[in-house]
Amino acid sequence: MTVPGATGALGRWVPGVQVVSTYRRGWLPKDLVAGLVLSTLLVPQGMAYAELAGLPPITGLYTTVLGLLGYALFGASRILVVGPDSSLGPMIAAVLIPIVGSGGDPVVAMGLASMLALLVGLTMTVAGIAKLGFVADLLSKPTQIGYMNGLALTILVGQLPKLCGFSVDGTGLIDELSGFLGGLAAGDVVPAALGVGLFTLAVIVALQRWLPKVPAVLVAVVGAIAATWLLDLGERGVKLVGPLPEGLPPFTLPHATWSQLALLLVGAVGITVVSLTDTVSTASSFAARTGQEVRADQEMKGVGAANIAASFFQGFPVSTSGSRTAVAEQSGARTQVTGVMGAAVILVMLVLTPGLLRDLPQPALGAVVIAASLSLADVPGTLGLWRRRHTEFSVSIAAFLGVAVFGVLPGIGIAVGLSVLNVFRRVWWPYQTVLGRARGVPGYHDVHSYPDAERLPGLVMYRFDAPLIFANARVFRDQIRRLARTEPAPRWIVLAAEPVTDVDTTAADMLEALDRELDARGVSLVLAELKDPVRRKIDRYGLTGPLDPAHFFPTLDDAVAAYRTRTGADWAAPVPSPGRDDSGE
């Protein structure tokens, strides 16, 4: 007998329990069918992404199974699909290659990959418990686009040798491109390999574009295997996947030396940031379609559990997949039973038909990865940034170059750094303007938008669109000084302070010194629309004294009325001032 209260409490921590307790019998046929359809995509992609990470193809299947089961138990989304991901593959390789070397012992690589998955899982889980979902915001949209474009190019170039039937020894985009071009010049291309690779890629791209409901990857892989049988490609120099190990994934304890652990931990942090961003954005987009609420912290725990589960069965780090989730949704998935069904199909294949994919050509796996890389690139989004805002386009290109030139892991660091710097730049150099009264429009408005706006002689209304802190205190001070030096000299400079959400101690000291400087020039600094929390800080700093208490007004209208009463000034059309820049930019 199930106790409802106990189930509800446990369900908040382990959402899979709640799914089971509320499951409807009518959902089962749809979940089972969706799971069968999904498995046709999971198998070839799992194998391909394992090789992208520099690991044996079988580890991709192990990782897929345990990732699906771990997330089904602890994940919050009803249909989100977790598993090996094309965006993580190059990052995993970038962590492992410096430790084991290119072409190193696969057993050692598998052990380190499992430890990497464990570290990622623990990091994600701790982040979820600590409610650190906001970390996903460290990658802005422009930097995400640039990072993904760089990643797509890196993946594409890295898979070109496999598509052509040979391999290169390189650890970055430039090295791999140089090695690929060298292989072409040396005549290393295997015609049969290139033919089956291009055939597979063409089938995937064509079906995804013109028949999106057809499982393109499955059709292409089946076609590649058929070509191997019909044309005897193995005898023509085409490398095949070969027989996979038979049976269930073995339980293994992840291990690494202390020196290896330090390198793995750095990589785990970068992978966690990317996985977290993918998870939150993918979960949000699919939840919006069904009216569900996104529980970002629980999603992190779910993906963390998926990584931890995979780490004990020779798996590697996993993330959510928008493409596989879309397939599940289109196939009628209702709950995570779809993922459990997909995992069960893979397990049955490993136990009963392990030789099913032995004749799959390696160039076909390369084509699967290349097709995935093409979906990562967002050229229209990049062009849109150029049309909409050149600054953010530049940030996107810088993130792209960071990945392309310095590598995947440094690239994610550069992308995060650029996002943070872009935020800081907006606080450092915020928009500033002078306000006036526009005829027929209530209130006071930007004179750049309303160049004919009227102004009161001797009064300047100035707006500063940012919190006033140490980073922009000098910018604010210099602009106030410029306004005070204009001719005819103003008597009042009124700060429209509604956008000023904070004043720190550095800015407070600046305000006190600036007020004394202006007083010496016969100019009064007046504050209007100051928020109550900010006013309380100013009082606590002891500024309400050095700053004349009579120069604080609740609204701009009150400040204007007080100035007109005191001076008798009336509104007048603006007088052009050559070379004057009211915005301060």
Side-chain angles (χ1 to χ4, degrees):
M1 179 178 177
T2 302
V3 181
T7 301
L10 182 60
R12 284 192 292 271
W13 288 93
V14 187
V17 172
Q18 189 172 14
V19 170
V20 173
S21 65
T22 60
Y23 197 79
R24 300 177 187 176
R25 185 175 301 176
W27 292 344
L28 186 59
K30 294 181 179 180
D31 279 339
L32 294 180
V33 171
L36 287 171
V37 174
L38 182 63
S39 65
T40 64
L41 183 64
L42 294 174
V43 172
Q45 282 193 345
M47 296 172 67
Y49 297 161
E51 292 213 329
L52 179 61
L55 299 166
I58 187 64
T59 61
L61 300 185
Y62 294 161
T63 301
T64 299
V65 170
L66 273 303
L68 289 171
L69 296 178
Y71 184 83
L73 196 57
F74 290 95
S77 172
R78 285 187 171 270
I79 64 169
L80 209 62
V81 178
V82 170
D85 188 66
S86 58
S87 64
L88 297 190
M91 299 184 71
I92 297 169
V95 176
L96 299 183
I97 289 176
I99 302 176
V100 301
S102 180
D105 187 347
V107 176
V108 175
M110 289 164 59
L112 293 175
S114 296
M115 177 56 76
L116 184 61
L118 179 60
L119 293 173
V120 171
L122 292 174
T123 306
M124 288 284 283
T125 303
V126 170
I129 294 173
K131 301 184 182 301
L132 298 179
F134 67 87
V135 174
D137 299 334
L138 291 178
L139 281 177
S140 65
K141 186 66 174 179
T143 53
Q144 284 185 53
I145 291 175
Y147 173 77
M148 286 301 179
N149 285 342
L151 195 61
L153 181 61
T154 300
I155 294 172
L156 175 64
V157 171
Q159 294 299 305
L160 287 178
K162 182 184 290 187
L163 193 73
C164 295
F166 64 92
S167 60
V168 299
D169 188 12
T171 57
L173 176 65
I174 296 176
D175 285 347
E176 290 178 340
L177 181 59
S178 177
F180 172 67
L181 296 176
L184 292 181
D188 293 337
V189 176
V190 178
L194 180 60
V196 73
L198 291 177
F199 164 78
T200 305
L201 181 59
V203 170
I204 294 174
V205 172
L207 290 179
Q208 287 178 341
R209 180 167 184 176
W210 289 299
L211 296 172
K213 293 186 177 181
V214 175
V217 174
L218 174 64
V219 172
V221 166
V222 170
I225 294 175
T228 300
W229 293 339
L230 294 174
L231 303 177
D232 198 14
L233 296 181
E235 297 298 322
R236 295 173 179 267
V238 178
K239 295 179 181 179
L240 306 178
V241 168
L244 299 176
E246 184 177 350
L248 302 176
F251 177 83
T252 56
L253 289 174
H255 61 279
T257 66
W258 286 109
S259 60
Q260 293 171 340
L261 198 61
L263 295 173
L264 293 173
L265 186 58
V266 173
V269 172
I271 290 173
T272 297
V273 172
V274 173
S275 180
L276 193 158
T277 303
D278 281 347
T279 297
V280 173
S281 60
T282 303
S284 299
S285 63
F286 281 94
R289 301 182 189 182
T290 57
Q292 298 180 32
E293 181 180 351
V294 177
R295 296 165 57 192
D297 298 322
Q298 187 62 45
E299 294 293 359
M300 285 190 287
K301 297 174 190 175
V303 177
N307 277 281
I308 293 172
S311 73
F312 290 107
F313 293 89
Q314 296 187 349
F316 51 86
V318 300
S319 182
T320 55
S321 169
S323 62
R324 291 192 289 273
T325 303
V327 168
E329 182 188 53
Q330 292 168 3
S331 303
R334 291 293 181 269
T335 68
Q336 285 297 326
V337 171
T338 294
V340 174
M341 181 63 184
V345 170
I346 296 175
L347 289 175
V348 169
M349 187 198 77
L350 290 174
V351 172
L352 300 180
T353 59
L356 185 63
L357 298 174
R358 73 172 65 204
D359 292 323
L360 176 60
Q362 290 281 3
L365 288 180
V368 171
V369 175
I370 289 175
S373 74
L374 296 177
S375 68
L376 290 177
D378 189 358
V379 176
T382 305
L383 296 177
L385 290 175
W386 170 256
R387 289 192 298 268
R388 293 159 62 187
R389 192 163 185 173
H390 288 184
T391 303
E392 296 199 343
F393 171 81
S394 300
V395 170
S396 180
I397 294 300
F400 166 78
L401 293 175
V403 176
V405 176
F406 298 105
V408 177
L409 285 179
I412 184 63
I414 291 172
V416 171
L418 287 172
S419 291
V420 173
L421 286 175
N422 197 28
V423 173
F424 187 70
R425 178 190 63 82
R426 294 177 185 179
V427 176
W428 193 358
W429 296 308
Y431 183 73
Q432 311 164 64
T433 190
V434 167
L435 306 179
R437 189 180 71 168
R439 295 195 180 198
V441 184
Y444 305 98
H445 302 279
D446 189 340
V447 296
H448 294 94
S449 300
Y450 297 89
D452 295 329
E454 298 175 329
R455 308 185 200 182
L456 283 172
L459 180 140
V460 175
M461 285 184 287
Y462 166 65
R463 195 182 71 206
F464 187 80
D465 291 349
L468 193 52
I469 59 174
F470 70 96
N472 57 32
R474 181 187 60 79
V475 174
F476 176 90
R477 182 199 63 198
D478 290 349
Q479 180 62 8
I480 293 291
R481 284 174 173 173
R482 279 194 289 269
L483 294 173
R485 288 195 299 265
T486 55
E487 294 295 339
R491 297 175 63 181
W492 278 21
I493 296 178
V494 179
L495 173 63
E498 195 273 336
V500 179
T501 55
D502 191 19
V503 175
D504 69 4
T505 56
T506 302
D509 291 342
M510 177 274 298
L511 284 175
E512 184 175 0
L514 180 63
D515 184 62
R516 288 198 301 267
E517 179 183 325
L518 293 176
D519 284 343
R521 299 173 62 97
V523 180
S524 297
L525 180 62
V526 177
L527 288 81
E529 299 184 341
L530 200 63
K531 295 178 182 296
D532 289 342
V534 180
R535 176 62 188 269
R536 285 194 291 269
K537 287 184 179 180
I538 285 180
D539 291 340
R540 191 162 64 247
Y541 297 153
L543 283 180
T544 312
L547 297 181
D548 189 344
H551 288 165
F552 286 81
F553 294 94
T555 68
L556 282 173
D557 281 333
D558 290 330
V560 168
Y563 178 78
R564 295 185 67 187
T565 299
R566 190 169 304 182
T567 65
D570 201 2
W571 294 99
V575 178
S577 178
R580 175 172 168 174
D581 179 10
D582 289 326
S583 71
E585 294 189 334

